[in-house]
């Protein structure tokens, strides 16, 4: 149990005064803000969100139909906490961290019943603990005491709790332990287990937040190449229905080079989450061949689950992410979709009859969103290791209108913006990320990494591509007015090169076994192949070859097949030679 319960005296229970959807008002409840309470005869879980005189307002994380006045409300006196320890990975939770499979067994149905409680981690399972410190060693809060093989890929570090005073290790032993058994004792008398609890609304402590310098490589060309996110960075993916938010989030969850993935399905339709729940356990990590679930924790709060739990699932997710960060891991958290969370805030706020802000969202919408994204970052942990939490949120603006409050408020906070575009999606240009509207504020600070780890001229090649795409944008306006043939030949050529940039570089098929993941080197080499076409074509043009003949060379369309090549380096080298040869033959 948490410290709060031990310190507090026994609290008085209250009774329900009124119920309005997920909002319940209780009388005579002795409670503080954010206390967790059990509501009604069934003991539904809720959280105190407002106290006025002897009336306490509670948002309830479970369905409240049938719950009525004069039923009891019991206060736990503790804030909403998440259970931390080995067993978080390869797990699927609902919005209040109840493991879905455990609940399924208890309930004998895939639908969660109300008032059923289950711990977030398995309490009976024995874990093989190997100490990394010895008796007599001095340890402080956050220090690693030992390790547990949590999954085939992840070694769980057992940490001294962040709230500990530290001290000398009085006893520690290797062996098989459940998360509740004592694995170490300090000279202060403190007994340490593998189970920690942490209040979800509070960021876990860190030493310093650092400037991120490494990219979170996603294997998606347009992201890594043009709009990279840093490890410890923040990104938003806004887009209308059907533009590819979910596919993009799934691609990141599968291929991003993070150690740990926390995937929060927040208020999305059940079938989308079912897809994740069914697909993910089948998927393999492309680099290790191990099951992807071995590094993944899924939190599924579908649209048919109570709205208030959307908020708790976001906070639960970020707290789990911080916990693995504290072990020195790079964690990536995907939230799909933050709009559904914002809608939950709007619903609760309106039931509280608060003064509405823009489009009915509460005035604190922006503060809540930034509290969430601020917990991302590249950190020096309190134990001296470095770890990161990258936060990537999908936004679903109604009608795809980016001027609405959730998109606008998110834009002010995040540093990477991947704008999905309905027109591109309709033209089957995937990923439908609009290259004129999207941006990454990490681009320059990540360049040194790409220069060192991929190629020296990574930034120059990218700039070349960006310039061509910009030029295409301007030329397209003229083309619309006067037609393509009215353009000078060199500009017609630019349009052709830009077309290859769009088709061979920006487009990428998430459902093709090879194209789905593109290593940064391949991303770079595709650009150089198109650049070769550009340079050789210019030379041919200067030598007097008509643009139609240049465009018609046989080799050029092969650029569009690089994506699906596994032996891309060889293919690209051949292709460049062939393009050069065919163009030089023209003069
Ligand atoms: P949203 O979550 O924005 O409603 P989805 O992510 O479900 O949209 O994408 C809708 C459809 O677009 C997908 O079912 C798929 O057919 C197509 N799509 C999106 N991104 C890609 C991609 N990178 N490659 C291929 N198809 C894609």
């Amino acid at each position: 149990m948490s410290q709060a319960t031990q310190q507090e005296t026994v609290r008085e229970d209250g009774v329900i005064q009124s119920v309005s959807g997920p909002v319940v008002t209780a009388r005579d409840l002795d409670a503080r803000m954010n206390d967790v309470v059990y509501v009604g005869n069934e003991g539904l879980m809720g959280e105190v969100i407002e106290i006025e005189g002897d009336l306490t307002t509670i948002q309830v994380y479970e369905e409240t139909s049938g719950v009525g006045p004069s039923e009891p409300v019991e206060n736990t006196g503790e804030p909403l906490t998440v259970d931390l320890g080995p067993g978080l990975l390869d797990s699927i939770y609902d919005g209040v961290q109840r493991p879905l499979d455990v609940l399924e067994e208890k309930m004998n149905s895939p639908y969660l019943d109300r008032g059923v409680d289950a711990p977030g981690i398995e309490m009976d399972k024995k874990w093989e603990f190997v100490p990394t410190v010895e008796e007599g060693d001095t340890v402080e809060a956050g220090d690693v005491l030992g390790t547990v093989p949590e999954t085939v890929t992840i070694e769980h570090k057992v940490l001294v709790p962040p709230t500990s005073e530290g001290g000398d290790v009085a006893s520690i032993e290797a062996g098989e332990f459940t998360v509740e058994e004592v694995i170490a004792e300090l000279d202060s008398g403190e007994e340490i287990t593998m189970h920690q609890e942490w209040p979800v609304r509070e960021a876990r402590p860190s030493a310093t937040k650092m400037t991120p310098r490494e990219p979170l490589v996603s294997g998606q060309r347009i992201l890594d190449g043009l709009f990279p996110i840093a490890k410890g960075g923040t990104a938003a993916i806004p887009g209308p229905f059907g533009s590819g938010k979910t596919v993009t989030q799934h691609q990141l969850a599968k291929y991003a080079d993070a150690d740990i993935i926390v995937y929060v399905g927040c208020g999305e339709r059940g079938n989308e989450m079912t897809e994740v729940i069914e697909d993910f356990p089948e998927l393999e990590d492309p680099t290790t061949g191990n099951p992807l679930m071995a590094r993944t924790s899924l939190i599924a709060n579908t649209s048919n689950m109570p709205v208030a739990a959307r908020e708790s699932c976001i906070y639960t997710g970020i707290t789990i992410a911080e916990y693995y960060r504290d072990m020195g891991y790079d964690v990536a958290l995907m939230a799909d979709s933050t709009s559904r969370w914002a809608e939950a805030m709007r619903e609760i706020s309106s039931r509280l009859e608060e003064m509405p802000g823009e489009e009915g969202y509460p005035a604190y919408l922006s503060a809540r969103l930034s509290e969430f994204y601020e917990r991302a970052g590249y950190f020096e942990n309190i134990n001296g290791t470095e770890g990161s939490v990258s936060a990537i949120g999908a936004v679903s603006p109604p009608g795809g209108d980016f001027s609405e409050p959730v998109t606008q408020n998110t834009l002010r906070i995040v540093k990477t913006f991947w704008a999905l575009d309905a027109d591109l999606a309709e033209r089957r240009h995937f990923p439908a990320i609009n290259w004129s509207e999207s941006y990454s504020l990490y681009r320059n600070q990540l360049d040194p990494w790409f220069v060192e780890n991929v190629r020296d001229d990574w930034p120059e090649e990218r700039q070349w591509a960006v310039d061509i795409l910009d030029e295409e944008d301007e030329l397209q306006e003229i083309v619309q007015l006067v037609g393509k043939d009215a353009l000078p030949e060199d500009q017609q050529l630019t349009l052709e090169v830009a077309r290859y940039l769009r088709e061979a570089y920006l487009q990428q098929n998430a459902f093709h076994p090879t194209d789905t993941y593109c290593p940064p080197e391949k991303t770079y080499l595709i650009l150089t192949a198109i650049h070769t076409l550009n340079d050789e074509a210019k030379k041919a043009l200067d030598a007097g070859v008509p643009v139609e003949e240049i465009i018609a060379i046989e080799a050029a369309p092969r650029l569009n097949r690089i994506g699906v090549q596994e032996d891309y380096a060889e293919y690209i080298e051949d292709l460049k030679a062939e393009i050069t040869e065919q163009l030089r033959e023209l003069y």
Side-chain angles (χ1 to χ4, degrees):
M1 291 305 272
S2 82
Q3 305 84 337
T5 347
Q6 290 153 15
Q7 287 159 10
E8 299 298 322
T9 48
V10 179
R11 294 173 162 268
E12 299 254 332
D13 290 354
V15 289
I16 295 178
Q17 165 112 349
S18 64
V19 179
S20 161
V23 175
V24 167
T25 309
R27 235 182 317 118
D28 303 330
L29 184 71
D30 182 11
R32 292 169 309 183
M33 279 295 283
N34 296 332
D35 277 351
V36 168
V37 295
Y38 291 109
V39 174
N41 297 329
E42 289 175 88
L44 310 181
M45 191 173 175
E47 193 182 2
V48 173
I49 53 172
E50 198 176 76
I51 301 171
E52 254 183 46
D54 73 340
L55 288 186
T56 305
T57 310
I58 297 152
Q59 62 176 354
V60 181
Y61 293 132
E62 301 182 74
E63 178 58 49
T64 55
S65 54
V67 178
S70 74
E71 287 185 39
V73 178
E74 182 195 335
N75 189 10
T76 63
E78 46 174 326
L80 185 63
T81 58
V82 41
D83 290 312
L84 301 168
L88 289 168
L89 299 178
D90 199 3
S91 287
I92 304 175
Y93 296 112
D94 78 348
V96 282
Q97 211 208 359
R98 298 182 300 184
L100 286 180
D101 50 348
V102 173
L103 287 171
E104 253 180 64
E105 268 167 40
K106 271 198 183 178
M107 304 310 312
N108 219 354
S109 105
Y111 300 100
L112 305 187
D113 212 342
R114 306 188 296 186
V116 176
D117 211 354
I121 48 177
E122 267 185 76
M123 295 296 164
D124 323 325
K125 179 165 175 170
K126 296 253 183 193
W127 298 92
E128 184 78 49
F129 174 73
V130 181
T132 48
V133 298
E134 294 174 359
E135 279 171 26
D137 286 353
T138 308
V139 292
E140 292 174 23
D143 283 353
V144 179
L145 290 172
T147 61
V148 157
E150 181 172 358
T151 65
V152 279
T153 22
I154 297 300
E155 184 168 81
H156 194 102
K157 314 266 168 70
V158 179
L159 308 173
V160 178
T163 47
S164 166
E165 299 277 309
D168 293 343
V169 178
S171 72
I172 190 161
E173 240 179 274
E176 301 228 319
F177 298 94
T178 68
V179 294
E180 291 194 302
E181 284 168 347
V182 175
I183 46 109
E185 210 179 319
L186 303 186
D187 60 352
S188 60
E190 183 177 349
E191 294 181 330
I192 298 176
T193 66
M194 294 191 269
H195 178 205
Q196 294 188 11
E197 280 180 86
W198 192 262
V200 296
R201 291 179 189 277
E202 207 177 297
R204 284 174 65 89
S206 62
T208 42
K209 202 166 182 171
M210 301 157 75
T211 306
R213 303 260 174 230
E214 268 183 51
L216 180 73
V217 174
S218 65
Q220 312 304 303
R221 284 190 284 278
I222 184 166
L223 305 187
D224 297 339
L226 299 188
F227 310 112
I229 175 177
K231 287 203 170 108
T234 48
I237 317 177
F241 176 74
S243 59
K245 292 179 296 294
T246 307
V247 173
T248 310
Q249 292 275 43
H250 287 194
Q251 289 299 96
L252 287 163
K254 290 178 200 164
Y255 299 119
D257 69 337
D259 301 307
I260 307 281
I261 302 288
V262 179
Y263 195 98
V264 182
C266 177
E268 285 300 307
R269 282 163 301 141
N271 55 355
E272 266 173 31
M273 240 10 244
T274 320
E275 214 179 287
V276 178
I277 291 168
E278 281 171 4
D279 276 9
F280 270 51
E282 314 260 297
L283 295 169
E284 282 181 6
D285 184 334
T287 43
T288 59
N290 291 321
L292 263 183
M293 279 304 287
R295 65 164 194 173
T296 307
S297 192
L298 288 179
I299 300 164
N301 176 264
T302 50
S303 50
N304 56 346
M305 295 187 188
V307 293
R310 293 183 192 168
E311 177 149 305
S312 62
C313 74
I314 295 267
Y315 284 107
T316 299
I318 196 97
T319 309
I320 292 176
E322 287 173 339
Y323 177 61
Y324 284 94
R325 172 209 73 191
D326 286 348
M327 298 177 204
Y329 288 123
D330 292 312
V331 186
L333 177 136
M334 328 293 156
D336 184 13
S337 137
T338 56
S339 295
R340 307 281 166 252
W341 168 33
E343 284 160 15
M345 280 187 229
R346 178 165 66 183
E347 180 172 342
I348 304 276
S349 169
S350 101
R351 286 185 195 267
L352 292 177
E353 295 174 1
E354 290 172 342
M355 174 92 92
E358 241 184 312
E359 292 189 23
Y361 289 103
Y364 46 79
L365 169 69
S366 158
R368 288 281 170 85
L369 287 170
S370 56
E371 268 166 36
F372 162 67
Y373 284 108
E374 267 166 20
R375 287 172 73 170
Y378 195 99
F379 293 89
E380 187 189 323
N381 295 321
I382 53 174
N383 59 18
T385 59
E386 289 179 12
S388 66
V389 173
S390 312
I392 300 153
V395 185
S396 341
D401 172 12
F402 289 178
S403 67
E404 59 87 42
V406 184
T407 313
Q408 285 303 312
N409 280 298
T410 306
L411 255 174
R412 276 180 224 126
I413 302 161
V414 298
K415 295 200 166 162
T416 322
F417 188 67
W418 298 321
L420 291 170
D421 186 312
D423 288 342
L424 289 174
E426 202 165 298
R427 289 182 354 226
R428 312 286 308 156
H429 173 114
F430 287 120
I433 296 172
N434 183 309
W435 53 93
S436 318
E437 281 181 52
S438 302
Y439 59 78
S440 163
L441 301 181
Y442 299 110
R443 202 138 90 171
N444 295 342
Q445 79 203 52
L446 297 177
D447 273 346
W449 186 94
F450 284 106
V451 165
E452 198 172 307
N453 292 278
V454 190
R455 288 305 150 86
D456 285 354
D457 59 346
W458 173 280
E460 290 78 16
E461 280 299 327
R462 178 193 57 226
Q463 195 53 48
W464 171 78
V466 168
D467 290 344
I468 297 271
L469 291 167
D470 282 351
E471 206 179 329
E472 185 196 31
D473 254 6
E474 288 168 22
L475 292 177
Q476 286 296 0
E477 284 176 28
I478 305 174
V479 170
Q480 305 238 315
L481 293 174
V482 295
K484 194 170 170 182
D485 295 339
L487 290 180
E489 290 204 312
D490 63 329
Q491 294 186 343
Q492 291 187 34
L493 192 62
T494 303
L495 286 182
E496 185 69 2
V497 171
R499 184 173 66 83
Y500 281 115
L501 279 176
R502 284 188 278 108
E503 293 176 359
Y505 184 70
L506 299 181
Q507 290 190 20
Q508 185 173 353
N509 184 355
F511 303 109
H512 186 281
T514 304
D515 200 24
T516 186
Y517 176 78
C518 187
E521 185 188 63
K522 186 173 176 185
T523 294
Y524 167 87
L525 287 177
I526 296 179
L527 271 192
T528 65
I530 304 170
H531 205 159
T532 300
L533 171 73
N534 178 78
D535 292 356
E536 289 297 326
K538 283 255 159 74
K539 283 190 213 158
L541 202 61
D542 288 345
V545 183
V547 73
E548 303 80 54
E549 278 184 42
I550 295 173
I551 289 176
I553 61 161
E554 260 174 45
R558 282 182 53 202
L559 288 167
N560 286 348
R561 293 202 295 274
I562 306 177
V564 300
Q565 305 301 322
E566 228 165 298
D567 290 329
Y568 58 88
E570 204 177 311
Y571 182 93
I572 290 171
E573 206 167 306
D574 285 353
L575 183 55
K576 282 185 188 171
E578 217 171 305
I579 287 173
T580 307
E581 196 185 304
Q582 290 182 6
L583 284 170
R584 290 189 183 176
E585 272 170 10
L586 298 176
Y587 58 97

